[in-house]
Every structure is written in C-alpha cells, then in structure tokens.
C-alpha cells in the first residue's frame, strides 16, 4: 500500500514538530492558526499511520527528534559476493539465539557478512535493525553510549544509560549489530549480559576477533571464502567482480591463475580485494611475482597463523608498492578513528616528506588502491580505512618513530576543532534548552560535532595518560565537556568536567571544573552527584587557599541537600547538612566575599528555615521566619550580582511565600526568576538547570493564581526543551495541568501518551509535578465519562505523586470538578471537607484558591448550611485570581439566584482562558443557554451528556 501524499504545508509542520515546537509555536512560525496546525497534525498522524506527536517527531526530516534516530545499517558501496551457506546459517542462528558472535581474524569478512545477514533477517524483527561500530570506542565504559546512539535512545535526567537502555529496549523485538567488539571486549561482555537479561525481544549479532566469553553466547566461526569450484568459487568470484570494477575483468583463460592466486591468499576477503585493486595496472604476472616475494619472506613466522600472515602479506606488498609520500600518508592518517576530511589529514599528516598541499591527491591515490574508502557526508567528502588497514597503518607508524609526533599533531587538531565547536556553542548560548539557544547553525553544528567527536575522545584518551600533555588534555576535556553539554550528551559532559578536574594543574581550576560537573548533575536530576561534586569543589578550593570559594561550594552542597532532596537516592541527614553549613561559615569568616555571604544566606534559608520544604525538613518552622530568611538570601544575592544565585534565592522566597499562604507573592517570585534567567541567557550547566526549574515553577505558580494562559505558555516552553526530550513526563506535566483546567480535552489527550510512555520508560518515578499531571488527565477522562480510562489514570496518579497531595491538594480539586460536572455536589463537598487552613500548606500551595472556590460551589449546590459563609470566605481569599474569583462569584450568584450575575461569570471565565468553566456556567444557567453550553463542551472535546454520579468515580 502506498503512503498518501503529504502536502507542502504538512511537510513544514512535520519539520517543525522535530524541533519540539508546540502547536502555538508552529502556528506563529508559519503564520497560520493553531486550529490549522492541529488539523495538519491530525492529518499527518492519519497519513503516516503513527500513534502520537512523539512518533511524528521521529519522522521529522529536520530538527531534533525527542530521541536520536536509530543508526541504520551501513550501505556497502560494492556488491556482496558468495557466502550463501554462511548467510543462511548465521541468519538462522541470529533469529534463534539471543547473542551470536561472528568470530574470525581481521580481513576475513566478518563485517560484510554481518551486514548481509542483518539485512536478510530484518523481516524477523518488527522493531528494526540497528548498527553500532565500536572501532571509535576507546573506553570500555562508553559501550553503553555507543549502543544508545545506535538504538536511538537518549539520556534521561536522573538515570544512567546503563539503566535507561534496558528500560527503553525492554519491549522491542529488534536486532542490534555490534561491529568490532575486540578492543573493548571487557566492556561489551558485562554490558550485553545486563542488556539481554532485561530485554527479552532483543537479539545481538556481534563481530569480534575473539569470543566475548559470556555464558549465553553462541559463537559462529567465519571461514575464509571457499575456493571450491575453480573460477566459479566464492573467492574467485570476488576477485573477478572487484577486478572488473577497476577496469578489466580477467579472461576465462586466466581463471585457473586467479584460482591459484586466491588459494595463496587463503580465501581472505580483504587480501583478495586488495590484490584485485592492482589487477588493472600489474596484471596477473605482476600480482603473482609480488605476492610470491612477500609470502616467501614471511614464511614460517611464529606469531600468526596462515590466515593472518596472508592479510599481512598483501598489506605489506600493497604498502611497498606505494610511493614514499603515500606510505607516510597511510600510516599517519591511521590516528583518525572515524572518517576524516582532506583538510584534517593535511593538518595532521602534512609534514616532511609530505607537502600539505599534496595530501588530497595522496588520499585519492590511496582510495584508488582500496586502502582508503571514500565516504560522502553532509560536511563534504571524508575518507576512512577499514579497521584492519588502520591497525596496520598504526603498527607502521609506531615502527617509524613518528607515533608521538603524529599523535601530538592529532591532539593539536583535536584541540582546535573542539575549541571552535565550543566557541560556536557558547556564542549562540549553546545549552540543550531549545531552538532559541541551539549552537550556531543548529543541525549543522550537531553534524560537525558528531563527525569529529570520536576523534576528540581518542585524542583525549591518549593525552590524558602522558604527563607532558596533561595541560592539553585538561583543555580538551573542558572543551569536549562544553560540546557534549550543547549536544545534550549530559552524562558525557559530567564525565568530561570531572576528568578536567583530575587533569587540572592547580586546585582552583579543579574546583571550577567540579562546579561545572555539579551543574550538569543538576540537569540530570542526580542529587547525590550534585552534593558530592559541590563538596569536592569545596575541598579543592580549600586546598587552593581560597576560603571564600570553599565557603560558596560547601554552602551550595548544604543547599542542594534540601533544595533537591527529592532527587537523592541517599538523602543527607539534617545533621550532616548543618555540619556542612557550619564548615562553610568557618571558611567565610576569613573575609566578606559577597558571593560567599549570598551562598551562606541561601543555605541557611534551606537548611535552617526549610524554605524548600525538603523531605528531611522541619514542618514546624515559622512561616514568617522562613520568608525573612529567604528575603535575606535574595538581598545578598542581588548584592553579589550573580543571576544564578539570585534565581536560587528567589526560588527559596517563592517556596517560603507559598508556605505562608501567599500564592501571588510565590508566583511573582517565580516569574522574576524566569525573567532574570531569560535576560542573562542560560548557557552554563548551572544556569540551564535553573532555567528548567524556573519554567516549571512559573507554570505551577501561575496555575495557583489562575493565570492559565501564562501557565500554558510556560508549560509549552518546558515541554519543548530538548533537555527533557527523554523525560516527557516531567516535560509535559504542567502543560497537561493547564490544558486540563482550561478544558482543552483534545490537547490533553494528544499530549498524555507522551507523558505516560515516558513515565513508564523512566521507571515510574514520583514527583510533586507528576501526580498532578496524571490526575489532570484522569479528570479529563472523567469529564468525558470514560470510566475505564479515568480509573487507569487515577492509578497512575497514585503511583506518580504523593498520597497527601492527591488526598488534599490536586486530587481534591480535580475530583471535585468531575463530581460537579456530573451533578454530584454532595460527593464534591465530601472531597473538600477539611477547612482550607487545616490542610498542610505544602499540599495546597498551588491548589489553595481552586480548593476554596470549588468547596464554596459544592456547598451552595449541595445546600450546606454554611454555604454563604464559605462562599464569602472564598471570595475574600481568592481576590486577584481570575478563575477562582469567577468560581466564587458563580457560587454567590447561584446562592442568590441571580441569573445575570451568573451569566456574567461566563464572560469572566472566557477572559481568564478557562473555556470549560465558561461552558459549564451556561449549562448551570439552563434554558436557552444550556444548548450553547453543550455546544461549547462539544467543541472542547468533552461529552455533554451526564451519565450520573457513577461516571465521576
């Protein structure tokens, strides 16, 4: 069946979906209405037969999908010849077994056979085939990162790739091809054992020079090409095909000689291809003579079996036929682990006897002799050598005494490349926060980084082990950390910052790198790491003789223990945090550094006054004292002139004011944070972390004050952050709440699959924002009278959030809305039975106004004797909140039997961006207005029929 044609406008929408843009942002970009965008999205889902926006984003030809696309199988440039029996046997083994390792010496043809088998077996794996080449992986600890890139699995804040991959692949029936495992075998074996245990539908086809030595491995020895059948044998057929490709196929009369030649090469595929590449210039006699000399020289060598010797013989022979300049070029470019450009080769290899200007010609000659492969790419023509040839070149390089010099030039090239990439990222505010802060060139920058990243890593691995290159290694680690952060490789960014700290020449530089690492750990939602790294930075600052910096770092560690307590696996005890605070005070006593004083004030607001409501905090603190402590922190941060410090202090103030029952002040502080960070620009990890947190708090507090359009706007910004692409539950949580309260059912139902999928994939985490989001979706299903879906989402809400929060906070609000919708005010009244001031402030801080107003309406509709008093109290409490005020005014109008005032609240709801309550007002007004209300509910995607109170439960 053919895929329906996609219009040009639909193609534009699809492209922008890949940039994580909301419908409103796409509408603004294309100058069309939001409804038109929604129509195009629905059409694309139907035409492409995809389940949701997330799947559409993956299909987007431009932008950044929520997670990287899985690596496809490489497309060989030459036909695959022979091996029909091996293909069938290996394909059967791969389908039947969980891990099959194709084993054989270099040059035997393992990779080509694996690719042919993977293509052949693809139909048995509904979720596709992925390919990961481990040649560029120099650190066994980065095997998971290579597999994540191959399978299209991105990083998730709060979890390591070792945890993310099994969860992400657990339900996939797919084939993973791991090529060239031998150099990181000690990393591959335990990784695969964990992965395959957790992923029953995943099969792995590995290639290696030696078996991986895991208990469930099935080894498939790859034999040489068959020489049976003379000129029609597999080996001869390969020679004939490749020889014809370079100019002239051998005559049938020469087939016997070809057969003999292939026999002498032991059927080794690489050796045959290299020999065939010389056929057009040397002919059969020249080939035979050249190989005879080399084989005679190498005969009897004790170190390699015959198959290895045959490949080395051909490589030696091919090498010796090269001009001296081309020999130098071949061995020097062996330092590149991934495809490289002619310009890069000139910088690294272009010294005597090579003229840098002649390097490009030399690369062409090596490609003509099949010693290099030409690879077109988005960044231009690139060259690379098969791994066996690259290793041969590296051996030659080591034997000439040039190794250190060439490696040094490769390091210098890597430093320049990394510095240029990091500068471009910094100039554009390159944090993983979205299109407006993407590095210069956006997708083009990502292509540039990806093209050289493995070479940067290889250069760093070499330099880090040499004392004379320690300073360069430190610089490269810092630059690579910045680039990895801009590329949204947060795990590597933290790793590189920590590596830079270990390589630093002095403790002050080490402390600076550790602070950066702590900022990345914050973006990853790893509280334990943030705490550890800030403490380590404090120790480094103390060794550096900088007590003010030590005070800042130790105070930051104490603050983290309370501010982000929900992201810890082991929450620091209160006594431990207080001891850190005392240490920080002792360091700060040396002299009035404004930044240190600000950090201490924030730590005191967190640890002593519990402004953030930490898990280990004291619930009996005085609200007034907490607000005073937070205000002091804000004042000192302002004096210090640090935007990130001011944002953190404002977060403390926002929390303290919500503790004190002042949602408007809390919202104003949250909004101030966001404006401050937007003006400052969020490129560094700590600022990035602050901005994501500020967006969430701005959206949450705006919901608390009834500013639904603003809450939705900030929720959309949060949902579109690439940093949160793999944690769609956290990304979409406040957007779901804002849309649900407004009554935008279609939007909620379109977004909720991303939330649920991410929540399931990321281990069903609990959070103050996840419970409300799930309950909001349950509310929409309740309004639609879909009892089954509501029950399922309520179960999710119970597991995703705190029990007390659901009982007294968001759960009471959302349940009351459903119960009132279905005409059961008595049940709604029971759901909001406690007096607002009797409910713990932390539970109700966002929901206080909603709770009080809905409680008043339920009291009126249920005929409660205190309905008038409750309504009056609610109207006083919610003054300034447009939605809650309209709710309380509606309750008063119902109580007074005033139809004009009742209808006036419909306009108030509309003006406040709450069309659901506007429609419900019309239903409550009855008469001729009821039909208009029913139509409005239909337009929102809500059912108008009331199926009775049972539908609400």
């Amino acid at each position: 069946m053919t895929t329906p044609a996609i219009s040009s406008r639909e193609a534009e929408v699809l492209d922008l979906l890949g940039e994580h843009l909301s419908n409103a942002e796409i509408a603004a970009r294309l100058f069309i209405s939001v409804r038109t965008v929604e129509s195009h999205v629905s059409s694309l889902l139907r035409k492409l037969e995809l389940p949701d926006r997330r799947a559409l984003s993956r299909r987007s030809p431009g932008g950044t999908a929520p997670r990287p696309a899985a690596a496809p199988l490489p497309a060989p440039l030459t036909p695959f010849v022979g091996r029909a029996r091996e293909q069938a046997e290996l394909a059967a083994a791969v389908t039947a077994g969980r891990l099959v390792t194709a084993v054989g010496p270099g040059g035997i043809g393992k990779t080509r056979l694996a690719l042919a088998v993977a293509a052949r077996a693809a139909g048995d794996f509904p979720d596709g085939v992925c390919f990961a080449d481990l040649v560029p992986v120099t650190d066994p600890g980065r095997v998971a990162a290579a597999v994540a890139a191959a399978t299209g699995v991105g990083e998730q804040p709060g979890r390591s790739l070792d945890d993310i991959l099994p969860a992400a692949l657990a339900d996939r029936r797919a084939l993973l091809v791991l090529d060239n495992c031998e150099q990181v075998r000690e990393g591959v074996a335990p990784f695969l054992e964990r992965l395959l245990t957790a992923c029953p539908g995943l099969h792995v086809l590995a290639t290696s020079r030696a078996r991986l030595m895991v208990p469930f491995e099935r080894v498939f020895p790859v034999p040489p090409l068959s020489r049976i059948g003379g000129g029609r044998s597999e080996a001869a057929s390969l020679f004939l095909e490749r020889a014809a490709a370079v100019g002239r196929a051998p005559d049938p009369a020469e087939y016997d000689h070809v057969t003999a030649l292939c026999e002498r090469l032991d059927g080794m595929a690489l050796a045959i291809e290299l020999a065939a590449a010389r056929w057009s210039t040397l002919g059969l006699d020249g080939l035979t003579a050249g190989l005879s000399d080399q084989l005679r020289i190498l005969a009897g060598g004790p170190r390699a079996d015959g198959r290895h010797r045959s490949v080395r013989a051909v490589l030696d022979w091919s090498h010796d036929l090269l001009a001296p300049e081309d020999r130098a070029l071949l061995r020097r470019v062996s330092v590149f682990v991934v495809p490289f450009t002619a310009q890069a080769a000139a910088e690294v290899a272009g010294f005597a006897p090579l003229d840098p200007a002649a390097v490009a010609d030399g690369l062409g000659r090596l490609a003509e002799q099949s010693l290099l492969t030409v690879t077109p790419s988005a960044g231009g023509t690139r060259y690379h050598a098969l791994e066996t040839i690259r290793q041969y070149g590296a051996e030659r390089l080591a034997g000439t005494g040039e190794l250190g010099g060439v490696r040094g030039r490769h390091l210098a090239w890597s430093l320049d490349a990394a510095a240029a990439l990091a500068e471009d990222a910094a100039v554009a505010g390159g944090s993983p926060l979205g299109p407006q802060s993407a590095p210069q060139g956006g997708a083009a920058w990502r292509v540039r980084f990806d093209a050289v990243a493995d070479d940067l890593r290889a250069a760093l691995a070499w330099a880090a082990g040499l004392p004379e290159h320690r300073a360069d290694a430190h610089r490269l680690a810092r630059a690579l950390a910045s680039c990895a952060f801009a590329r949204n490789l947060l795990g590597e960014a933290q790793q590189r910052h920590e590596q830079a700290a270990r390589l630093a020449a002095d403790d002050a530089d080490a402390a600076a790198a550790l602070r950066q690492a702590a900022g990345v750990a914050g973006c990853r939602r790893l509280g334990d790491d943030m705490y550890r790294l800030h403490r380590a930075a404090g120790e480094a600052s103390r060794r550096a003789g900088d007590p003010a910096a030590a005070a800042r770092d130790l105070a930051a560690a104490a603050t983290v223990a309370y501010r982000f307590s929900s992201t810890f696996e082991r929450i620091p005890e209160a006594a431990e945090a207080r001891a850190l605070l005392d240490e920080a005070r002792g360091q700060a006593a040396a002299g009035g550094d404004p930044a240190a004083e600000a950090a201490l004030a924030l730590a005191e607001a967190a640890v002593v006054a519990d402004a953030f409501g930490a898990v280990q905090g004291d619930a009996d603190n005085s609200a007034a004292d907490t607000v005073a402590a937070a205000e002091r922190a804000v004042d000192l941060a302002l004096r210090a002139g640090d935007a990130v410090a001011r944002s953190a202090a404002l977060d403390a103030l926002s929390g303290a004011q919500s503790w004190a029952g002042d949602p408007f002040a809390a919202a104003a502080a949250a909004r101030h944070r966001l404006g401050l960070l937007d003006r400052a620009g969020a490129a560094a990890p700590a600022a990035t972390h602050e901005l994501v947190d500020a967006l969430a708090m701005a959206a949450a507090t705006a919901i608390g004050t009834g500013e639904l359009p603003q809450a939705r706007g900030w929720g959309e910004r949060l949902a579109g952050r690439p940093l949160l692409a793999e944690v769609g539950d956290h990304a979409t949580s406040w957007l779901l709440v804002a849309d649900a309260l407004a009554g935008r059912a279609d939007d909620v139902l379109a977004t909720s699959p991303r939330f649920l999928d991410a929540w399931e994939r990321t281990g069903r985490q609990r959070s103050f924002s996840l419970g409300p989001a799930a309950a909001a979706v349950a509310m929409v299903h309740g309004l639609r009278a879909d009892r089954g879906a509501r029950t399922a989402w309520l179960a999710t809400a119970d597991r995703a959030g705190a029990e007390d929060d659901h009982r007294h906070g968001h759960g009471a609000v959302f349940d009351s809305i459903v119960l009132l919708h279905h005409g059961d005010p008595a049940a709604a009244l029971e759901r909001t039975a406690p007096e607002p001031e009797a409910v713990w402030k932390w539970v109700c801080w966002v929901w206080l106004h909603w709770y009080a107003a809905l409680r008043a309406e339920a009291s009126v509709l249920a005929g409660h004797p205190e309905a008038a008093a409750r309504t009056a109290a609610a109207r006083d409490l919610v003054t300034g909140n447009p939605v809650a005020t309209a709710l309380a005014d509606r309750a008063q109008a119902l109580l007074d039997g005033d139809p004009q005032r009742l209808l006036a609240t419909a306009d108030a709801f509309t003006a406040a961006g709450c069309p659901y309550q506007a429609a419900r007002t019309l239903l409550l007004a009855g008469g001729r207005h009821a039909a208009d209300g029913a139509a409005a509910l239909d337009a929102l995607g809500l059912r108008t029929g009331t199926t009775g109170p049972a539908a609400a439960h």
Side-chain angles (χ1 to χ4, degrees):
M1 185 177 70
T2 59
T3 302
I6 295 175
S7 70
S8 58
R9 180 62 86 186
E10 287 171 343
E12 291 176 319
V13 171
L14 181 61
D15 190 51
L16 293 175
L17 284 169
E19 296 183 25
H20 307 294
L21 300 187
S22 67
N23 287 351
E25 289 169 322
I26 293 173
R29 187 81 69 87
L30 299 180
F31 303 100
I32 56 179
S33 71
V34 174
R35 282 293 181 190
T36 301
V37 175
E38 292 169 352
S39 175
H40 287 317
V41 170
S42 298
S43 177
L44 286 166
L45 289 170
R46 184 180 67 256
K47 288 182 177 181
L48 298 178
E49 298 180 347
L50 295 173
D52 51 42
R53 288 172 69 100
R54 186 165 177 262
L56 276 178
S57 296
R58 292 182 186 171
R59 281 287 190 93
S60 171
T64 312
R67 57 183 178 188
L73 290 175
L77 301 178
T78 54
F80 184 74
V81 177
R83 295 201 183 277
R85 178 181 60 81
E86 289 93 335
Q87 282 191 70
E89 291 178 357
L90 184 53
V94 166
T95 303
R98 300 291 310 288
L99 170 61
V100 181
T101 306
V103 174
I108 197 72
K110 300 184 296 296
T111 298
R112 289 299 300 270
L113 176 61
L115 290 174
V117 167
R120 176 173 179 163
D124 296 323
F125 298 97
D127 294 315
V129 180
C130 304
F131 178 86
D133 184 2
L134 299 185
V135 165
V137 181
T138 54
D139 177 0
R142 289 197 56 77
V143 170
V147 173
T151 54
V153 174
E155 295 196 32
Q156 298 168 5
R159 309 179 77 202
S160 70
L161 281 174
D162 285 335
D163 295 328
I164 295 166
L165 274 166
L169 303 179
D171 59 351
R172 292 197 201 179
R173 179 160 174 77
L175 174 63
L176 170 63
V177 180
L178 283 184
D179 198 25
N180 295 296
C181 295
E182 57 272 356
Q183 73 220 34
V184 284
R185 191 170 53 153
E186 65 270 30
V188 171
F191 168 77
L192 286 181
E193 192 161 2
R194 293 191 303 270
L195 185 67
L196 290 175
T197 299
C199 305
L202 186 67
H203 291 229
V204 175
L205 171 57
T207 73
S208 178
R209 298 190 182 191
R211 60 170 299 185
L212 301 179
M213 302 297 289
V214 290
F216 47 86
E217 176 185 25
R218 177 172 178 178
V219 176
F220 185 92
V222 179
L225 290 168
S226 171
R227 280 89 74 203
I228 298 173
R232 298 182 182 277
S233 69
E234 291 180 343
S237 296
L238 177 62
F239 185 97
L240 294 172
E241 196 281 331
R242 300 298 192 258
V246 297
R248 181 179 70 83
D251 295 327
E254 297 173 301
Y255 283 6
D256 289 343
H257 296 291
V258 169
T259 301
L261 186 65
C262 292
E263 187 67 43
R264 299 184 74 174
L265 296 175
D266 293 318
M268 298 290 284
L270 176 59
I272 291 170
E273 294 208 25
L274 290 171
R278 293 283 185 171
W279 167 258
S280 63
T281 55
L282 295 179
L284 190 58
D285 292 344
L287 287 174
T288 303
L291 289 173
S292 295
D293 288 344
Q294 288 293 328
L295 291 172
R296 186 164 55 250
I297 292 170
L298 293 169
R303 297 184 60 190
D305 63 26
R307 293 175 186 171
H308 282 100
R309 287 200 303 272
S310 65
V311 173
R312 182 171 294 279
V314 175
L315 288 173
D316 282 335
W317 168 73
S318 296
H319 174 269
D320 291 346
L321 289 174
L322 297 174
E325 294 82 1
D326 291 347
R327 293 179 198 173
L329 182 58
L330 180 64
R331 64 178 180 261
R332 292 173 183 176
V333 297
S334 68
V335 297
F336 290 101
V337 296
V338 289
F340 54 89
T341 63
Q343 180 180 351
E347 293 182 32
V348 172
F351 61 96
L354 277 174
D355 179 356
V359 165
D361 287 340
L363 294 173
R365 288 191 295 273
L366 293 176
E368 289 171 0
Q369 304 305 325
S370 295
L371 292 167
L372 292 179
T373 299
V374 180
T375 305
S377 73
T381 301
R382 292 182 176 272
Y383 300 84
H384 79 280
L386 294 177
E387 179 58 11
T388 299
I389 297 174
R390 194 185 72 82
Q391 291 181 6
Y392 175 86
E395 289 179 11
R396 284 281 184 172
L397 183 63
T400 63
E402 291 183 340
L403 180 60
V406 175
R407 283 283 192 186
R409 293 174 71 93
H410 181 255
L411 174 61
W413 171 83
S414 297
L415 280 165
D416 289 343
L421 286 164
E423 182 180 359
D424 284 350
V427 166
S431 73
L433 285 176
Q436 74 276 16
S437 59
Q440 197 172 61
W445 184 92
R446 295 191 292 271
V447 169
R448 287 171 52 208
F449 173 75
D450 291 346
V452 300
D454 282 320
D455 266 309
L456 305 185
R457 293 166 182 140
L460 177 56
W462 174 77
L466 299 173
E468 63 270 28
H469 288 294
R470 186 183 182 92
D472 286 337
H474 171 70
R475 287 171 51 213
L476 183 53
R478 286 175 51 200
L480 186 52
S482 297
C483 291
F485 185 74
R487 188 63 178 90
N488 209 27
L489 301 174
L490 303 190
E492 182 174 8
Q494 181 180 331
Q495 173 194 355
R496 299 305 177 192
H497 279 306
E498 293 194 53
Q499 185 177 19
R502 293 191 298 271
L503 292 167
D506 59 65
D507 288 316
D509 285 344
L514 289 166
R515 289 183 205 109
Q516 293 282 70
V520 180
C523 294
R524 300 178 70 199
R525 295 175 56 82
L526 298 177
D528 303 79
D529 278 4
M530 287 185 75
Y531 183 67
R532 169 181 62 83
L533 290 163
H534 278 303
R535 293 189 69 173
E539 291 303 316
S541 296
R542 187 158 25 204
R543 291 193 303 270
D546 188 346
R552 294 196 304 271
D553 294 324
L554 294 172
T559 299
V560 164
Y562 273 65
R563 186 183 180 195
F564 301 110
S565 59
S566 63
T567 67
F568 278 74
E569 290 187 11
R570 186 198 73 83
I571 300 173
E573 298 287 344
E576 182 179 329
R578 286 179 180 268
L580 268 180
L581 181 55
D582 287 340
E583 281 188 65
R585 288 171 175 149
Q587 291 293 314
D593 177 74
E597 292 177 359
L600 277 171
L602 179 61
E604 288 165 353
V607 177
V608 179
D610 192 26
F612 297 106
V615 174
Q616 71 273 43
D618 184 358
D620 294 329
N621 286 334
S622 160
D625 291 344
T626 303
V627 170
E631 287 176 337
R632 178 172 178 269
V634 171
D635 290 341
L636 290 173
L638 178 61
R639 192 179 308 169
D642 183 336
V644 172
R646 288 179 64 192
S647 171
L650 285 165
D651 191 29
L653 181 59
S654 181
Q657 287 165 331
S658 62
W659 178 283
D662 190 347
F664 297 109
R671 199 168 300 158
H672 190 178
R673 285 181 71 195
L674 195 54
L676 179 70
L677 293 167
D678 279 341
R679 289 191 299 273
T688 297
H689 183 209
E690 279 294 325
L691 182 53
V692 170
D693 185 71
L695 282 169
M697 296 305 293
T701 54
I703 286 168
T705 55
E707 298 168 285
L708 295 184
Q710 292 91 328
R712 188 176 202 276
W714 287 317
E716 283 185 317
R717 281 187 62 186
L718 190 67
R721 302 304 94 186
L723 178 68
L724 302 178
E726 291 295 327
V727 281
D729 46 354
H730 288 281
T732 61
S733 56
W734 293 112
L735 177 61
L736 283 169
V737 172
D739 279 344
L741 288 171
R744 295 186 178 89
D746 289 342
D747 289 333
V748 171
L749 298 181
T751 305
S752 60
R754 179 184 173 192
F755 175 94
L756 186 61
D757 177 64
W759 183 72
E760 295 280 359
R761 283 192 300 104
T762 55
R764 299 185 174 188
Q765 297 176 329
R766 286 185 182 270
S767 167
F768 85 99
S769 64
L770 299 183
V777 179
M779 183 196 80
V780 167
H781 286 296
L783 296 178
R784 290 164 56 87
D786 188 338
R787 186 172 182 179
R790 173 169 168 77
T791 300
W793 276 95
L794 284 175
T796 298
D798 286 339
R799 296 193 297 271
E803 181 180 351
D804 283 345
D805 197 7
H806 186 73
R807 181 184 299 117
H808 299 301
H810 66 262
V813 168
F814 292 137
D815 287 352
S816 295
I817 290 173
V818 174
L819 291 164
L820 291 170
H821 179 87
H822 289 289
D824 194 353
L829 189 58
E830 183 180 350
R831 195 70 181 82
T832 55
E835 294 288 338
E837 59 269 19
V839 182
W840 190 34
K841 300 285 192 304
W842 276 116
V843 175
C844 271
W845 67 277
V846 169
W847 314 106
L848 179 62
H849 287 180
W850 294 88
Y851 184 95
L854 289 166
R855 186 171 186 262
E857 182 170 306
S859 298
V860 170
L861 292 174
H864 192 277
E866 296 182 13
R870 290 180 176 181
T871 301
R875 295 181 75 187
D876 288 341
L877 176 67
V878 304
T879 299
N881 180 322
V883 179
T885 295
L887 285 169
D889 287 347
R890 186 170 70 189
Q892 187 68 55
L894 290 168
L895 184 66
D896 296 340
D898 187 338
Q900 293 303 315
R901 287 181 62 191
L902 178 64
L903 288 172
T905 64
D907 294 334
F909 284 123
T910 299
C914 191
Y916 165 69
Q917 293 295 350
R920 187 164 179 275
T921 299
L922 297 177
L923 289 177
L924 288 169
R928 59 187 178 84
H929 302 292
D932 293 336
L937 289 178
D938 280 340
L940 291 170
L942 299 171
R943 295 184 178 181
T944 57
T946 299
T947 56
H953 295 280

